[in-house]
Amino acid sequence: MKYKASIYVTLKGSVLDPQGSAVSKALHALQYEAVDDVRVGKYIEVRLRAASDADAGQQVERMCEQLLTNPVIETYSYTLEATA
Amino acid sequence: MRTAVVQFPGSNCDEDAVKAVVSVMGASAELVWHTTADLSAYDLIVIPGGFSYGDYLRSGAIARFSPVMAAVSAAAARGQYVLGICNGFQILTEAGLLPGALRRNESLQYRCELVDLKVENANTAFSRDYVAGETVRIPIAHGDGNYYVDEAQLAGMEARRQIVFRYASEYNPNGSVADIAGVVNESGNVLGMMPHPERAVHALLGSADGARVFSSILTSWRDAHEHVNA
């Protein structure tokens, strides 16, 4: 089976996000006063082959833990979509 | 004493590191390509600064899986000296050979300037030629130098005296936790630092204060060899 994994990487909540702070200030300057917090992250799209949904999920999690994120400062979430 | 300076695609402080080793230590230094699988013949391995693999994904994230990094891990485990400067520091944290991680500078700006550093621990193989507490001037040049460890880890590192250099004179150029500029591993044979000692080995370069990182390593190596021969 073929899958598309949509992976979102962000800094952990406990880690200060300087880009998010800068964007938050800019939004406030543009009068978006309702904005409480901004976190800037990364979106990574991976197309892969896997035997099942569970196999695809396991592969994606291994990739995230080994390379795609730095677990010291980052966290991730993902969605899987069967593409064929 | 034999030194290897590892070259990754995108390293750009490799030649400076070689020149620093040769001029300060009076020893030879060889450039080794990142596909090298065995570093057992060297006493010191320098992971130089630059932008390995374009710093894609995260600084050091891809270089960390280069074939040479297994050899660097093996060398570190054997007790050979490993010195990571700037991008080299980032690579060593990504590889788990040093604690913590380096985030984007708090200012979001790339900082390239001479900074004051306080020598926090002058009792390591890399800092023994300094005097504890003295202030030295060594340049920085980085966008991702904002060192992070959580509070519990920081307390452990402080207790084990793993912090070797801190930004001084009340100027922290990147937002690093506890003003940390350079740390050593628990065994004391792997040092990572964001400032560039190889760019500060002669007064003509603006400062000669970085030279003592290299002379310290040489002194430590000599000591170890005297013990072996005794």
Side-chain angles (χ1 to χ4, degrees), chain B residues 37 117 198 229:
Chain B
L117 301 176
E198 83 284 11
N229 295 336

Side-chain angles (χ1 to χ4, degrees), chain B residues 10-69:
Chain B
S11 295
N12 66 8
C13 302
D14 39 350
E15 296 282 0
D16 298 48
V18 168
K19 286 193 165 60
V21 168
V22 171
S23 69
V24 176
M25 301 163 97
S28 67
E30 291 167 42
L31 290 166
V32 301
W33 191 231
H34 67 114
T35 51
T36 307
D38 181 9
L39 295 171
S40 57
Y42 300 97
D43 304 293
L44 166 65
I45 295 144
V46 180
I47 317 288
F51 300 86
S52 56
Y53 296 90
D55 276 351
Y56 296 149
L57 193 63
R58 295 179 307 279
S59 301
I62 297 177
R64 171 249 186 287
F65 290 103
S66 271
V68 76
M69 287 309 293

